Amino acid sequence: MHFSTSEVIHAPRDAVFAAITDFDAIERQVIRAGGTLTRTGGHGPETTWQGTASFRGTERDFTSRVADWTPPGGYRLASETSGLDALVDLRCIAVNEATTRLEILVDLKPRSMKAR
């Protein structure tokens, strides 16, 4: 299953990349939403997380890692949970010096009949 969205942001590409890699802020958002999240790696290409999140009314354990790191162009997250793999691409594309298009692409791959 593939999902994608994009948004034009009136900020330079470096600023947008800095915002989408502010992992401390992202972790706080996950915790405020009721999940748990523990970073088990550093920052950048070696970053990994373990956590739990509610999905369709069920608490699910997951692991995520930065699978590709290409600053300031973006990065890819690879996540696994019971029966489901997810790849999330975040891409920063400079429209001009002051404007960036942020593209988010999500590819979900079920590994079990229940996940389908």
Side-chain angles (χ1 to χ4, degrees), residues 79-87 107-111:
S79 299
E80 299 175 359
T81 187
S82 57
L84 187 68
D85 293 336
L87 291 175
D107 186 22
L108 301 175
K109 294 182 182 180
R111 288 183 281 123

Side-chain angles (χ1 to χ4, degrees), residues 70-100:
T70 54
Y75 63 97
R76 171 180 279 184
L77 290 175
S79 299
E80 299 175 359
T81 187
S82 57
L84 187 68
D85 293 336
L87 291 175
V88 179
D89 286 307
L90 294 101
R91 300 178 185 162
C92 299
I93 301 163
V95 176
N96 58 44
E97 286 186 18
T99 307
T100 304

Side-chain angles (χ1 to χ4, degrees), residues 1 23 31 37 39 43 45-46 58 60 66 75 84 94 115:
M1 207 177 327
F23 296 143
I31 292 167
L37 193 61
R39 191 182 323 179
H43 186 82
E46 68 276 1
T58 303
R60 301 183 190 272
V66 175
Y75 63 97
L84 187 68

